[in-house]
């Protein structure tokens, strides 16, 4: 029993959450927003702006600076870090960090200098490609061709070659900057990088996040020699072996003990991807509960009885941190696309919500949208594809309520279509992420999926999942016991479908399917 800290290094923020397993309470939540709190890193949305929508890199030093700032902020609140019995965390998936020296071989962190200044000379690549990057189509084709095609990749790794996945990104780095690649001693993911910073040793990558690299053999749990060879030379030497998510990867480095007052020897459990972590934070590691996460990206995921793959090729199989597998479908046009509509028609979030709940109806009076403001991964559209169909005002973005509803309906129809391969239709959906506060969005999801929507009392499911994983390893409590205390539904949010609205989606669903077919996706 004790206090456990979970961290989540996501696209736009780093957040912390502490649970007290004895009291069954969340005792602390705090966050650093990359754009607002660290503007000097020039990443207003968490990544480095680039006019080429296919190129999306982040600054790994920003993530390190955020860690230091977050702990400083929490210490100022008077929180006693010495009470923490264990730490784990999660990171935005697929993003990769390149180091010219293994962290284990680098000098131990000194308390007389800032962490960023100690990490900077260790980077062999100044920026990190992140999950929003879609610039590696050529590398995907090359990797797939080298191993005998996408079906081989799917059977080994659970996914076909995917632009944002780490393997194709590593290959692009090798092709475009061979010298810098040759100088790279270690390639790691955002999740394992953050764990390495905390422990001062090279933390291994877990099966949850490692499965998003196009490199992990899901059955053996080892990097596939065939895929390593197809990706880049000497890659095996640059990767730590992959490990089960419940692996203790070290203890907090002396730096954190001395600067912030953590207890010496505080164990650190392997970090995982933000989606696998959310699976835990949503209490959904057993099959039967599907989760929709409405963060920067929108994702649909669920634990799987047996690994099943998406015949359309967009979905993925990742390691479930509680053992076994999970499926995931990710949509790049999530919150950033909703924000774009809200901005264009000048609606605040409360107005956006009212537009859906009070001013428009299911089916949106036949106004519809193809909502791809940015390149999309599901379905695969390498160029933005924004199409509006309906009234003149709607098509000119001059009907704010209908424009607001249209994007949400299109996103929900897309989530439903692209998760149909998971199997049985979900009767209950758990929704999380920043946009899950919006009842209008929840109502559209309920009606499109004809399912009951639940949210949890704790909204930061990735950070909660990290704290729960640390607690499970530290206390030996079962997942069921931990979920009963922490993954508790918010009884004030019970959004049910209405039969009339469910019926109203039959035609928009068919129309959306026709549009997908016409696009050949
Ligand atoms: P991530 O973890 O990917 O950084 P979050 O889960 O914190 O993202 O979600 C952040 C997003 O939530 C913001 O980009 C914003 O668009 C969206 N958001 C916040 N409040 C609302 C709201 N009331 N309605 C709709 N979207 C919202
Ligand atoms: C999942 C994905 C995103 C990132 C960022 O495959 O690309 O959900 O994990 O949250």
């Amino acid at each position: 029993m004790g206090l456990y800290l979970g961290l989540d290094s996501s696209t736009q923020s780093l957040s912390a959450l502490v649970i007290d397993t004895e009291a069954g309470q969340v005792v602390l939540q705090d966050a650093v927003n990359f754009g607002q709190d660290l503007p000097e890193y020039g990443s207003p949305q968490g990544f480095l702006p680039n006019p080429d929508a296919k190129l999306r890199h982040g600054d790994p030093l920003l993530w390190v600076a955020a860690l230091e700032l977050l702990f400083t902020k929490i210490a100022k609140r008077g929180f006693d870090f010495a009470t923490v019995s264990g730490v784990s965390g999660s990171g935005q998936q697929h993003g990769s960090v390149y180091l010219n020296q293994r962290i284990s071989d680098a000098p131990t962190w000194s308390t007389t200098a800032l962490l960023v200044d100690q990490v900077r000379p260790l980077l062999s690549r100044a920026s990190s490609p992140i999950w929003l990057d879609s610039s590696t189509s050529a590398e995907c084709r090359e990797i797939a061709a080298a191993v005998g095609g996408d079906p081989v990749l799917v059977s080994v790794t659970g996914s076909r070659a995917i632009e944002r996945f780490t393997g194709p990104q590593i290959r692009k780095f090798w092709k475009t900057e061979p010298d810098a690649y040759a100088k790279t001693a270690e390639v790691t993911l955002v999740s394992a990088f953050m764990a390495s910073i905390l422990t001062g040793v090279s933390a291994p990558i877990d099966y949850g996040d490692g499965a998003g690299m196009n490199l992990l053999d899901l059955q053996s749990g080892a990097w596939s020699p065939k895929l390593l060879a197809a990706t880049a030379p000497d890659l095996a030497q640059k990767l730590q072996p992959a490990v089960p998510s419940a692996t203790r990867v070290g203890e907090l480095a002396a730096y954190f003990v001395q600067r912030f007052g953590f207890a010496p020897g505080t164990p650190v459990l392997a970090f995982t991807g933000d989606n696998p972590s959310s699976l835990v934070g949503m209490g959904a590691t057993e099959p039967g509960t599907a989760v929709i996460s409405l963060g920067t990206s929108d994702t649909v995921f669920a634990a799987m009885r047996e690994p099943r793959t998406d015949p359309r090729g967009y979905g993925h199989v990742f390691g479930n941190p509680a053992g076994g597998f999970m499926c995931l479908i990710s949509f790049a046009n999530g919150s950033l696309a909703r924000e774009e509509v809200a901005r264009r028609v000048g609606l605040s979030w409360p107005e956006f919500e009212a537009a859906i709940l009070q001013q428009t109806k299911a089916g949106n009076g036949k106004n519809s949208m193809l909502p791809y403001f940015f390149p999309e991964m599901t379905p695969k559209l390498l160029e933005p594809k924004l199409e509006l169909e309906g009234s003149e005002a709607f098509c000119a973005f001059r009907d704010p309520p209908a424009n607001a509803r249209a994007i949400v309906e299109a996103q929900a129809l897309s989530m439903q279509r692209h998760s149909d391969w998971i199997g049985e239709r979900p009767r209950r959906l758990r929704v999380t992420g920043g946009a899950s506060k919006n009842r209008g969005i929840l109502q559209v999801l309920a009606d499109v999926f004809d399912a009951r929507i639940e949210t949890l009392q704790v909204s930061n499911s990735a950070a909660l999942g990290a704290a729960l994983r640390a607690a499970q390893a530290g206390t030996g409590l079962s997942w069921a016991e931990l979920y009963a205390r922490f993954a508790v539904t918010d009884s004030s949010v019970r959004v049910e479908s209405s039969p009339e609205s469910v019926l109203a989606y039959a035609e928009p669903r068919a129309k959306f399917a026709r549009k997908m077919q016409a696009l050949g996706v």
Side-chain angles (χ1 to χ4, degrees), residues 19 34 40 56 141 154 177 182 207 234 310 325 357 381 405 431 480 489 511:
I19 56 172
F34 300 148
E40 62 273 29
R56 288 288 175 263
R141 280 192 298 273
V154 172
E177 296 179 58
Y207 295 158
D234 304 324
D310 176 5
F325 300 96
L357 291 178
L381 295 167
R405 178 177 273 277
V431 186
T489 54
K511 189 163 142 190

Side-chain angles (χ1 to χ4, degrees), residues 8 10-13 131 274 293-297 335-336 338-339 349-350 352-353 432-438 441:
D8 175 44
S10 75
T11 316
Q12 304 194 55
S13 58
W131 64 276
D274 53 1
S293 169
L294 305 169
T296 307
S297 64
S335 280
L336 298 180
R338 285 185 290 275
E339 278 173 25
W349 288 132
F352 192 98
E353 180 176 81
T432 182
S436 66
K437 293 194 270 289
N438 191 308
I441 298 175

Side-chain angles (χ1 to χ4, degrees), residues 11 92-94 131 164 274-275 297 299 318 328 330:
T11 316
Q92 52 172 315
Q93 297 198 249
H94 320 296
W131 64 276
R164 70 186 189 285
D274 53 1
N275 294 293
S297 64
T299 52
F318 293 158
L328 176 129
S330 181

Side-chain angles (χ1 to χ4, degrees), residues 343-397:
R343 189 189 64 76
R344 286 194 192 194
V345 297
L347 293 182
S348 65
W349 288 132
E351 290 165 343
F352 192 98
E353 180 176 81
I356 297 176
L357 291 178
Q358 287 149 28
Q359 296 160 29
T360 52
K361 285 210 174 88
N364 210 16
K366 294 197 165 31
N367 292 306
S368 67
M369 184 186 282
L370 273 185
Y372 306 113
F373 288 83
F374 320 106
E376 181 53 71
M377 42 190 89
T378 311
K380 186 168 167 179
L381 295 167
L382 291 173
E383 300 297 333
K385 183 108 195 127
L386 178 64
E387 268 178 28
L388 285 82
E389 197 182 310
S391 76
E392 207 177 305
F394 171 78
C395 293
F397 278 101

Side-chain angles (χ1 to χ4, degrees), residues 101-330:
Q101 200 175 11
R102 287 177 197 272
I103 302 256
S104 296
D105 301 334
T108 43
W109 309 134
S110 151
T111 45
T112 58
L114 285 177
L115 265 181
V116 271
D117 294 331
Q118 302 177 65
V119 175
R120 186 177 293 109
L122 301 179
L123 297 176
S124 58
R125 189 181 196 181
S127 66
S128 294
I130 63 162
W131 64 276
L132 281 162
D133 192 285
S134 56
S135 66
T136 62
S137 297
E139 290 75 17
C140 288
R141 280 192 298 273
E142 289 158 7
I143 292 171
V147 299
D150 271 318
V152 177
L153 266 153
V154 172
S155 73
V156 177
T157 72
S159 303
R160 59 158 90 165
I162 302 281
E163 278 74 0
R164 70 186 189 285
F165 276 35
T166 323
Q169 294 288 348
I170 295 171
R171 181 168 178 81
K172 182 177 167 196
F173 182 49
W174 165 66
K175 281 169 60 186
T176 53
E177 296 179 58
D179 295 342
Y181 176 79
K183 286 197 192 105
T184 299
E186 182 165 1
V187 180
T188 187
L189 295 181
V190 178
S191 56
F193 173 65
M194 296 305 280
S196 304
I197 298 293
L198 284 170
T199 53
V201 297
S202 301
I205 292 168
D206 85 308
Y207 295 158
D209 217 9
M213 297 175 78
N214 277 150
L215 290 170
L216 188 71
D217 182 328
L218 285 180
Q219 291 309 327
S220 70
W223 304 122
S224 149
K226 220 171 153 184
L227 278 159
L228 289 170
T231 301
D234 304 324
L235 185 52
Q237 289 93 286
K238 300 179 200 282
L239 291 172
Q240 299 283 321
V243 295
S245 311
T247 306
R248 184 186 193 273
V249 295
E251 53 191 50
L252 281 180
Y255 181 90
F256 296 97
V257 174
Q258 285 159 26
R259 277 216 52 189
F260 300 106
F262 281 96
T266 306
V268 178
L269 194 78
F271 278 35
T272 188
D274 53 1
N275 294 293
S277 194
S278 276
L279 189 76
V280 177
M282 295 302 282
T285 46
E286 285 293 316
T289 305
V291 179
I292 294 183
S293 169
L294 305 169
T296 307
S297 64
D298 287 346
T299 52
V300 180
F301 52 86
M304 287 175 121
R305 259 173 245 287
E306 69 243 25
R308 204 189 285 213
T309 51
D310 176 5
R312 291 191 193 93
Y314 303 127
H316 315 296
V317 181
F318 293 158
N320 175 341
F325 300 96
M326 66 181 282
C327 61
L328 176 129
I329 309 114
S330 181

Side-chain angles (χ1 to χ4, degrees), residues 455 457 489-494:
T455 63
Q457 286 174 6
T489 54
D490 180 347
S491 55
S492 70
V493 183
R494 273 280 154 93

Side-chain angles (χ1 to χ4, degrees), residues 1-6 16-29 79-80 83-86 458 463-464 466-472 474-475 477 481-488:
M1 293 290 173
L3 264 52
Y4 292 88
L5 166 65
L17 185 147
V18 178
I19 56 172
D20 178 340
T21 49
E22 213 154 319
Q25 273 174 2
V26 174
V27 293
L28 178 127
Q29 288 200 69
F79 180 75
D80 181 5
T83 57
V84 170
S85 303
V458 177
L464 174 63
L468 290 174
R469 292 178 50 244
Q472 205 277 328
T475 62
L477 285 169
E481 285 168 302
L482 286 165
Y483 293 161
R485 286 172 216 187
F486 296 103
V488 181

